[in-house]
Amino acid sequence: MNDTKAWEVDTLRGHMNNVSCVMFHAKQDIIVSNSEDKSIRVWDATKRTGIQTFRREHDRFWILATHPEMNLLAAGHDSGMIVFKLERERPAFAVSGDSLFYTKDRFLRFYEFSTQRETQVLTIRRPGSSTLNQCPKTLSYSPSENAILLCSDVDGGSYELYCISKDSTKDSFGRGDMQDPKKGVGGSAVFVARNRFAVLDKGSNQVSVKNLKNELVKKSALPTAADAIFYAGTGNLLCRSEDRVFIFDLQQRIVLGDLQTPFIKYVVWSNDMENVALLSKHAIVIASKKLVHQCTLHETIRVKSGAWDDNGIFIYTTLNHIKYCLPNGDSGIIKTLDVPIYITKVIGNTIFCLGRDGKNKAITVDATEYIFKLSLLKKKYDQVMNMIRNSQLCGQAVIAYLQQKGFPEVALHFVKDERIRFNLALESGNIQIAVASATAIDEKDHWYRLGVEALRQGNSGIVEYAYQRTKNFERLSFLYLITGNVDKLSKMLKIAEVKNDVMGQFHNALYMGDIRERVKILENVGHLPLAYVTASVHGLHDVAERLAAELGDNVPSVPKGKVQSLLIPPSPVSCGGDWPLLRVMRGIFDGGFNNTERDADDEEYEAADGDWGEELDMVDVDALQNGDVSAILDEVEVAEEDDEEGGWDLEDLELPPEAETPKVSVSSRSSVFVAPTPGMAVSQIWIQRSSLAADHVAAGNFDTAMRLLNRQLGIRNFVPLKSMFLDLHTGSHSYLRAFSSAPVVAIAVERGWTESSSPNVRGPPALPFKLSQLDEKLKAGYKSTTAGKFSDALRTFINILHTIPLIVVESRREVDDVKELIVIVKEYVLGLRMELKRREIKDSPARQQELAAYFTHCNLQVPHLRLALLNAMTVCYKAKNLSTAANFARRLLETNPTVENQAKTARQVLAAAERNMTDALQLNYDFRNPFVICGATYVPIYRGQKDVSCPYCTSRFVPTQEGQLCAVCELSVVGADASGLLCSPSQIR
């Protein structure tokens, strides 16, 4: 230790007691001292002041060590160790076009991507100053003014403004001249215009806009507390708070968009400023320029940096990987890293980055995988084809991705393993490749799955062959039954007889409707009573008499009269044949990609054809023991020829078309294809194109409809809407019954459809609820109210309130009509509930008068208001509240009642009250002070008092009702945050 260092240690001993060990960190020229007072203190060797302290409450530190290559230190204590770094290793940088400005050591440096030329611009910190926790954190660059903003944590947050002269750029590049910057205090600083930059004051939550002379231009208060600001386009700031970010327009002083996110550390905009990547510690959020969420990507290790390439793919780094993120959220690994890097720009296959040592690097990567996935995502199938032909793209990850994303026909071209090819072929519906793979595998499970898929496609020939290979006699017999192949059913009966399979014999006889054979089988197995009954009910009297003689006295009784139905299958209309297939154009991924692959496929198909012919033509003595169905069928047919003609005339044997081997020829591949993959359901189209809850209900997606109603109207109680949801969904579809054995076909009914409508353009759903129907219900409610049928009227008005969320109208004027209808119905529901409540009260005259008085302050139609005033006047007059009754009488006369009795009664009450203007009971009612009525407690809320409202029906409530279910509409939560009623496509445009 030299004398200077020894002196510094002595100085430290004057400040710290019980120093156990001391370490010099030569790179930073600072001293790290370890003391027995349960702390580690970092000292500035130049200024001789403490900078940072690491403390343990119950442990003492005994040893220190430094990493030989990385900026890491370790300290051991009684119960373990801690690892920490002394300074920030990520260099501050900013990219502008082909240029990169970044900080390294105490200099601002410039890097040009095209030439990879690196030069030193100027000195940003004087030698000898402490750099611990004071290195620049962010850098902002104004290309038009050639100005640099550097932000650091010095003095709790500060910035430095450097203006580089354009005329002296060439001279100053390389020399690193020192310049006195313009300084200021602020949590963050960033350029927002050509010659303007914004500075965040965390204390006052204000943004100050300054010019290049560091002079204040204007101040703007942020609507939400923010701790950092980022560039978001000219005149806009992206502000960060603890759990969200928002874009603030400095000119209009409004929020353009906000998004809930984890704590964001870095913001990376795409080259066209249309998308933004928000980087947190362990997550990446991709959003549009208005902060509309697109996808979120979670990582288990720290995210370090990222940049957008020219294709709109976000390339980012973690501690040990370079990864990519597609616009739909799919991600993958590009390259593994030895040390962390910070991406600055991505050009083609080259990733430019900065290392922790401040050196620029250009890393060339293979972009084939993510470009291939992006082409699939954007449906650029020509590029996909070209990459399949020319690249070495392969691997289980790519195959699994293609399967997951619904492209098994593409994955087929990467796979050589027959089992995987078989699975992909079944998934894509390519029955030809599935047959070839099943033939190569030749396992029972694969033949069974092939038969299931072939049956789904209606390819009965392949189904028959698959059942033969699996020796599945029961399924084979049933297949012949449903295809009407009676000849082969008779052969299956012979096979069951040869195999001594009694149940198989009986089932086949039952399928064929062969009564005599069924009686014969029952007789052979000893079930003579069943044989007798079967012969009797089917009219085989000669056989029945013979069996009756054998049974003697044990003849069972048979009901007399006509039998209602017999187990006889109907005669087939047509026999055999595949289900008709659509002729479709060859898809871009169908067939081979080159002649070699096409020839190989043809050989596979020919081999499969040869196997089929060989199996079906084979006749062996041991076929029965081996279960060879094709050989047994041939033997049965030969035996039949022998019985009929008395010889073996094999040359004249003519097999029916159904017995021929199903062929999978090359020509059939080019002309007839299986039915194409079903397109998107109409209900799914409705969901994707509309944000209206009614359209989602019509599509049957009740879950998203409820989420929409909750977000738009704050609705939480969906029980009253259940029947309407079902009626709306059912009413938006027509149902067609084809066959008794086939399921009912639901057909979507579209709104506004005409015969001239294009078949390729899908309209919105036809909805059974219409505004005109609600108008009719409103009139019915008025009529019930006039007649005094308050319960009926209340049910009608509540039904209107429950139907309105599922109404769709076309024009803006109709939207206004719907909103006006909500207000009208809400007033009647509130008033009628209070009147019904009043009639239930028997022991509180004051409360009766209050409810009657509140009813008169509901916004009712004039005839109903007159009746409410007359009712309130009568109640108050009978209770000796003459002053209040006189007020109602005056209000009644002001409406110019057309019924003479009403006016006469009001005048009499007014005359009687004027002789004694007093109230016998004190009421919670002041008609001189404007008020609204709480929809739950039925008390007045006078002007100036706090209240909360229902987001749907707008009823008002006292603050204690916040968070409760609205007592008026019975749907929404009082005080809930909602965007408002959305009932027309015109509101979305």
Side-chain angles (χ1 to χ4, degrees):
M1 180 183 298
N2 56 34
D3 295 340
T4 303
K5 299 296 183 183
W7 181 86
E8 290 173 348
V9 172
D10 291 338
T11 303
L12 285 176
R13 291 186 184 276
H15 294 277
M16 299 175 59
N17 297 322
N18 299 322
V19 175
S20 59
C21 65
V22 177
M23 176 179 291
F24 293 95
H25 194 278
K27 180 179 179 181
Q28 302 298 333
D29 195 26
I30 61 177
I31 300 174
V32 181
S33 58
N34 182 344
S35 68
E36 290 187 359
D37 63 350
K38 302 175 183 179
S39 67
I40 294 178
R41 297 184 183 180
V42 183
W43 292 78
D44 188 328
T46 303
K47 297 182 178 180
R48 301 170 185 172
T49 58
I51 298 175
Q52 193 168 359
T53 301
F54 300 92
R55 189 180 300 277
R56 301 278 298 182
E57 294 295 333
H58 305 290
D59 297 312
R60 294 169 297 174
F61 290 93
W62 295 101
I63 189 170
L64 293 171
T66 180
H67 194 281
E69 298 177 357
M70 303 176 66
N71 182 29
L72 296 174
L73 290 94
H77 51 78
D78 291 338
S79 58
M81 62 180 296
I82 62 172
V83 178
F84 59 95
K85 61 174 66 176
L86 294 179
E87 68 170 357
R88 177 185 176 86
E89 293 181 295
R90 176 190 174 102
F93 64 87
V95 177
S96 176
D98 192 44
S99 305
L100 168 68
F101 288 89
Y102 66 100
T103 59
K104 180 180 179 181
D105 297 332
R106 297 184 176 93
F107 299 98
L108 175 69
R109 304 179 71 87
F110 168 82
Y111 180 79
E112 193 172 29
F113 294 110
S114 57
T115 61
Q116 300 188 16
R117 179 175 62 93
E118 182 177 356
T119 52
Q120 190 168 288
V121 180
L122 51 84
T123 303
I124 58 174
R125 185 171 288 108
R126 293 182 178 86
S129 62
S130 173
T131 60
L132 185 61
N133 289 330
Q134 296 184 9
C135 57
K137 294 184 64 176
T138 63
L139 187 153
S140 181
Y141 174 63
S142 174
S144 57
E145 299 294 332
N146 217 24
I148 297 288
L149 266 177
L150 294 176
C151 296
S152 63
D153 290 334
V154 178
D155 300 327
S158 63
Y159 67 88
E160 297 177 356
L161 175 63
Y162 296 88
C163 293
I164 306 171
S165 174
K166 294 182 180 180
D167 297 334
S168 59
T169 298
K170 296 182 179 180
D171 295 335
S172 51
F173 276 23
R175 288 210 322 258
D177 293 341
M178 185 177 296
Q179 181 184 131
D180 290 329
K182 298 178 176 65
K183 300 181 179 180
V185 177
S188 299
V190 62
F191 280 104
V192 293
R194 180 177 57 85
N195 55 359
R196 295 287 188 270
F197 65 93
V199 181
L200 174 64
D201 184 359
K202 294 183 182 179
S204 61
N205 197 40
Q206 289 184 335
V207 173
S208 302
V209 180
K210 299 184 178 182
N211 58 21
L212 295 183
K213 296 180 181 180
N214 206 22
E215 299 171 343
L216 181 64
V217 177
K218 67 174 181 179
K219 278 190 175 183
S220 298
L222 296 177
T224 306
D227 57 9
I229 56 175
F230 304 90
Y231 177 71
T234 303
N236 296 334
L237 289 175
L238 192 147
C239 307
R240 179 191 71 188
S241 59
E242 185 175 356
D243 61 344
R244 65 177 54 246
V245 294
F246 60 92
I247 294 180
F248 184 72
D249 190 322
L250 291 171
Q251 187 68 28
Q252 305 179 50
R253 300 185 180 183
I254 61 174
V255 175
L256 301 180
D258 69 329
L259 181 63
Q260 188 169 0
T261 63
F263 185 77
I264 297 303
K265 299 178 66 177
Y266 308 109
V267 174
V268 184
W269 288 90
S270 61
N271 298 331
D272 56 2
M273 294 295 293
E274 290 295 324
N275 296 297
V276 62
L278 308 172
L279 279 61
S280 67
K281 186 176 181 180
H282 293 291
I284 298 174
V285 180
I286 305 296
S288 69
K289 63 180 179 181
K290 297 297 183 182
L291 291 186
V292 177
H293 181 266
Q294 294 179 356
C295 64
T296 300
L297 198 63
H298 296 278
E299 291 288 344
T300 55
I301 54 179
R302 289 191 177 186
V303 178
K304 306 304 291 183
S305 65
W308 295 84
D309 77 345
D310 296 331
N311 298 306
I313 300 175
F314 187 67
I315 311 297
Y316 65 98
T317 62
T318 61
L319 276 174
N320 47 20
H321 288 109
I322 301 178
K323 295 187 172 183
Y324 64 85
C325 176
L326 299 181
N328 64 342
D330 293 338
S331 63
I333 298 175
I334 300 176
K335 186 180 177 65
T336 302
L337 298 173
D338 297 327
V339 294
I341 61 171
Y342 305 96
I343 297 179
T344 56
K345 193 176 182 66
V346 180
I347 302 177
N349 293 348
T350 303
I351 296 177
F352 293 92
C353 59
L354 282 169
R356 284 183 166 175
D357 55 359
K359 294 181 179 180
N360 281 282
K361 301 177 183 178
I363 303 175
T364 302
V365 297
D366 184 3
T368 307
E369 179 181 334
Y370 64 79
I371 295 297
F372 176 79
K373 293 181 179 180
L374 181 67
S375 301
L376 275 177
L377 178 65
K378 294 185 175 181
K379 299 182 179 180
K380 296 181 178 179
Y381 297 131
D382 53 341
Q383 295 184 12
V384 174
M385 291 285 294
N386 185 57
M387 297 178 72
I388 292 175
R389 290 193 185 101
N390 302 324
S391 69
Q392 299 297 321
L393 192 63
C394 193
Q396 293 297 326
V398 174
I399 295 170
Y401 178 84
L402 291 170
Q403 270 188 287
Q404 178 187 358
K405 296 302 177 181
F407 294 98
E409 68 275 14
V410 183
L412 272 172
H413 301 288
F414 294 99
V415 180
K416 301 301 181 184
D417 183 86
E418 291 296 345
R419 297 179 185 274
I420 300 177
R421 283 178 65 84
F422 179 81
N423 293 330
L424 293 173
L426 288 189
E427 189 174 343
S428 61
N430 195 328
I431 201 70
Q432 289 84 5
I433 295 182
V435 169
S437 298
T439 304
I441 300 169
D442 198 19
E443 291 181 0
K444 184 175 181 179
D445 179 63
H446 288 76
W447 283 116
Y448 170 75
R449 292 172 57 195
L450 174 64
V452 172
E453 176 61 22
L455 186 62
R456 188 186 71 84
Q457 294 188 13
N459 198 327
S460 60
I462 296 180
V463 177
E464 178 185 3
Y465 180 58
Y467 288 168
Q468 290 176 359
R469 294 298 297 263
T470 57
K471 307 175 182 62
N472 199 331
F473 300 127
E474 293 82 2
R475 290 180 180 270
L476 195 57
S477 296
F478 191 75
L479 175 68
Y480 293 149
L481 171 66
I482 63 176
T483 56
N485 202 326
V486 181
D487 293 339
K488 290 192 177 181
L489 264 178
S490 63
K491 295 178 183 179
M492 292 302 298
L493 178 61
K494 297 293 184 181
I495 293 174
E497 185 178 353
V498 174
K499 288 175 63 67
N500 198 23
D501 182 3
V502 177
M503 290 304 299
Q505 286 180 262
F506 189 80
H507 284 156
N508 284 288
L510 191 65
Y511 293 159
M512 294 175 60
D514 192 340
I515 308 303
R516 291 187 179 275
E517 187 65 28
R518 284 163 54 189
V519 173
K520 177 184 174 182
I521 295 171
L522 292 172
E523 186 178 357
N524 291 338
V525 297
H527 293 295
L528 295 181
L530 285 177
Y532 170 77
V533 173
T534 304
S536 298
V537 299
H538 289 87
L540 302 179
H541 300 297
D542 54 340
V543 179
E545 292 175 359
R546 179 174 57 80
L547 293 174
E550 294 183 20
L551 288 169
D553 296 335
N554 297 324
V555 177
S557 60
V558 179
K560 302 297 182 180
K562 184 179 179 181
V563 180
Q564 295 296 325
S565 61
L566 300 175
L567 293 177
I568 299 177
S571 300
V573 178
S574 63
C575 178
D578 294 338
W579 191 262
L581 302 180
L582 291 177
R583 289 182 178 270
V584 297
M585 295 298 293
R586 181 184 296 274
I588 191 170
F589 299 121
D590 296 329
F593 288 88
N594 50 51
N595 295 331
T596 303
E597 185 174 344
R598 189 182 301 111
D599 295 340
D601 290 343
D602 294 344
E603 291 177 3
E604 289 181 1
Y605 296 142
E606 290 171 3
D609 294 344
D611 290 342
W612 284 28
E614 183 182 354
E615 291 293 334
L616 290 178
D617 294 339
M618 185 183 298
V619 179
D620 198 315
V621 177
D622 298 327
L624 180 60
Q625 287 76 15
N626 298 332
D628 195 334
V629 183
S630 58
I632 297 173
L633 288 176
D634 289 339
E635 289 183 0
V636 170
E637 187 157 348
V638 170
E640 290 178 351
E641 293 289 339
D642 185 25
D643 293 339
E644 295 174 2
E645 301 180 10
W648 294 76
D649 191 3
L650 296 179
E651 296 179 354
D652 297 332
L653 178 62
E654 295 182 0
L655 293 175
E658 293 77 17
E660 294 179 358
T661 304
K663 297 293 183 178
V664 187
S665 62
V666 177
S667 61
S668 66
R669 293 170 56 217
S670 61
S671 60
V672 179
F673 285 75
V674 297
T677 304
M680 185 180 296
V682 177
S683 57
Q684 187 67 24
I685 296 176
W686 290 346
I687 294 171
Q688 290 186 356
R689 292 183 178 178
S690 176
S691 299
L692 303 179
D695 291 346
H696 286 248
V697 174
N701 200 336
F702 293 174
D703 184 48
T704 58
M706 289 189 287
R707 285 201 295 268
L708 286 172
L709 290 174
N710 179 265
R711 186 167 66 243
Q712 296 168 5
L713 300 177
I715 295 179
R716 184 176 66 185
N717 180 26
F718 290 95
V719 175
L721 301 181
K722 179 180 178 180
S723 61
M724 296 185 180
F725 272 41
L726 296 174
D727 292 344
L728 182 56
H729 174 59
T730 306
S732 300
H733 292 76
S734 179
Y735 298 90
L736 177 64
R737 188 177 183 86
F739 303 101
S740 58
S741 60
V744 176
V745 180
I747 303 174
V749 181
E750 300 174 8
R751 185 164 67 245
W753 182 88
T754 61
E755 292 184 358
S756 60
S757 300
S758 172
N760 298 324
V761 179
R762 293 296 182 183
L767 305 178
F769 303 140
K770 301 184 182 300
L771 182 59
S772 58
Q773 297 173 346
L774 298 188
D775 290 338
E776 294 299 325
K777 288 185 179 181
L778 181 64
K779 293 177 182 178
Y782 284 161
K783 186 175 181 180
S784 298
T785 304
T786 304
K789 300 177 181 179
F790 295 149
S791 297
D792 294 342
L794 182 60
R795 281 193 295 269
T796 302
F797 290 127
I798 290 178
N799 180 264
I800 295 175
L801 277 180
H802 291 173
T803 307
I804 288 177
L806 303 178
I807 282 290
V808 174
V809 296
E810 297 300 329
S811 64
R812 287 276 186 175
R813 182 182 60 81
E814 291 177 316
V815 173
D816 296 336
D817 293 342
V818 172
K819 293 180 179 179
E820 182 182 359
L821 181 61
I822 294 175
V823 176
I824 293 173
V825 174
K826 175 259 297 185
E827 294 290 334
Y828 273 87
V829 171
L830 176 60
L832 293 174
R833 286 188 187 277
M834 289 191 296
E835 180 60 21
L836 292 174
K837 180 73 174 177
R838 183 189 70 81
R839 297 190 178 191
E840 295 174 359
I841 298 175
K842 304 298 182 182
D843 55 351
S844 179
R847 185 57 175 164
Q848 284 184 333
Q849 295 177 70
E850 289 173 354
L851 293 176
Y854 301 154
F855 191 13
T856 66
H857 287 268
C858 293
N859 190 9
L860 308 176
Q861 297 292 313
V862 175
H864 302 147
L865 178 60
R866 290 171 184 160
L867 294 173
L869 289 169
L870 181 63
N871 178 58
M873 180 186 69
T874 304
V875 172
C876 292
Y877 185 81
K878 290 180 178 179
K880 306 302 182 183
N881 275 24
L882 301 181
S883 178
T884 305
N887 172 60
F888 294 133
R890 281 191 291 268
R891 290 178 57 193
L892 178 58
L893 292 173
E894 289 173 359
T895 63
N896 297 321
T898 56
V899 181
E900 183 60 29
N901 290 339
Q902 293 180 355
K904 182 179 179 181
T905 304
R907 293 190 188 96
Q908 291 175 351
V909 170
L910 187 59
E914 286 177 349
R915 291 191 291 270
N916 185 17
M917 295 290 286
T918 59
D919 286 336
L921 296 174
Q922 183 68 31
L923 304 180
N924 183 16
Y925 173 65
D926 183 5
F927 63 88
R928 300 178 183 84
N929 191 1
F931 65 87
V932 293
I933 305 155
C934 174
T937 60
Y938 306 135
V939 297
I941 304 174
Y942 292 102
R943 181 180 296 175
Q945 294 181 346
K946 293 183 179 180
D947 62 53
V948 290
S949 62
C950 171
Y952 169 40
C953 66
T954 68
S955 298
R956 309 283 278 280
F957 298 86
V958 294
T960 56
Q961 292 295 316
E962 185 171 7
Q964 303 297 319
L965 193 66
C966 175
V968 177
C969 66
E970 301 175 343
L971 297 176
S972 299
V973 177
V974 177
D977 187 17
S979 59
L981 178 66
L982 191 64
C983 62
S984 173
S986 61
Q987 294 176 275
I988 304 174
R989 304 188 196 107

